[in-house]
Amino acid sequence: QVQLVESGGGLVQPGGSLRLSCAASGFTASGYAMTWYRQAPGKERELVATIGGSTKYADSVKGRFTISRDNGKNTVYLQMNSLKPEDTAVYYCYVRYVLVEYWGKGTLVTVSS
């Protein structure tokens, strides 16, 4: 059974950092593109970063966020630096595995002083 479990969210001040984790189970994450999305209050869900053969980032997070994976732990990370209030959102992990889309339940990131 495919599962994605996010963790690492919380309250952080502007300019601070957080590292989100997405623990995958039921499949080998290293064989698939893994993506972080986020959804801010009142806004549509948007792609933040994806890692597959290469990495891609939303323009709004380039130079501040880094996506990576630890294949031994079957886990994908999102290192977020220089956080801004507009980064406040629920962050979701996503994978399309064997033509089926899977989402985690999300982890809330709040950037506020």
Side-chain angles (χ1 to χ4, degrees):
Q1 181 180 1
V2 172
Q3 283 193 317
L4 302 171
V5 179
E6 303 96 335
S7 62
L11 174 63
V12 63
Q13 292 187 343
S17 297
L18 281 176
R19 189 178 78 158
L20 305 183
S21 300
C22 170
S25 60
F27 72 109
T28 302
S30 61
Y32 298 86
M34 300 292 295
T35 304
W36 284 98
Y37 282 82
R38 69 184 180 186
Q39 187 165 20
K43 296 188 176 181
E44 294 186 354
R45 195 169 293 189
E46 64 173 351
L47 187 148
V48 176
T50 189
I51 184 167
S54 61
T55 57
K56 296 182 181 179
Y57 298 91
D59 287 343
S60 59
V61 307
K62 280 181 182 176
R64 300 188 298 122
F65 290 11
T66 303
I67 190 170
S68 63
R69 9 167 151 240
D70 184 331
N71 294 335
K73 295 183 178 180
N74 215 32
T75 298
V76 177
Y77 301 100
L78 186 68
Q79 177 67 43
M80 307 187 295
N81 299 328
S82 303
L83 283 161
K84 305 175 181 180
E86 51 263 43
D87 294 317
T88 295
V90 178
Y91 285 71
Y92 298 92
C93 188
Y94 164 89
V95 67
R96 189 167 186 239
Y97 173 72
V98 194
L99 303 180
V100 178
E101 297 184 337
Y102 294 91
W103 295 88
K105 293 184 179 181
T107 185
L108 175 63
V109 173
T110 303
V111 185
S112 174
S113 54

